[in-house]
Amino acid sequence: VQLQASGGGLVQPGGSLRLSCAVSGIGTGNYAIGWFRQAPGKEREGLSCIGVSGATHYSESVKGRFAVSEDNTKSTVFLQMNSLKPEDTAVYYCGAALFCSTTSPEGYDYWGQGTLVTVSS
């Protein structure tokens, strides 16, 4: 079982990044994939989730700025992040769960290693 997050980096305020989460070994058709982030000294925060049916969910903090999607094979899930702000700076993680949740990391059975996003001028 492996989730591999990638695509992080340094971006200026107002810029965009697209994160990828490569999923293998868990039968992605049976798991929801969620995106979380964790800034230094803060708890892991739920951002977005895409369910088995393809339904998408967002937290209020990113609704309208971030968009989650998946490729046709359901082996890669993307998080398109637009209008980035300095407060979006964090390590971003993808996780797999039986049911979508953006409110808590509990229930997520598998996690990727995280990718750092830094928003700064």
Side-chain angles (χ1 to χ4, degrees), residues 4-5 11-12 30 34 41 46 48 52 59 73 84 93 112 118 120:
Q4 182 84 23
V11 62
Q12 292 187 342
N30 296 321
S48 180
V52 171
S59 67
T73 66
L84 285 163
Y93 298 89
T118 303
S120 175

Side-chain angles (χ1 to χ4, degrees), residues 33-74:
I33 302 297
W35 285 98
F36 286 71
R37 68 186 177 192
Q38 189 163 18
K42 295 189 177 181
E43 294 185 350
R44 192 165 292 194
E45 175 192 8
L47 305 174
S48 180
C49 185
I50 185 164
V52 171
S53 66
T56 57
H57 307 269
Y58 299 93
S59 67
E60 288 299 320
S61 64
V62 302
K63 191 177 293 183
R65 297 192 299 127
F66 291 10
V68 62
S69 62
E70 61 188 357
D71 69 359
N72 291 338
T73 66
K74 294 183 178 290

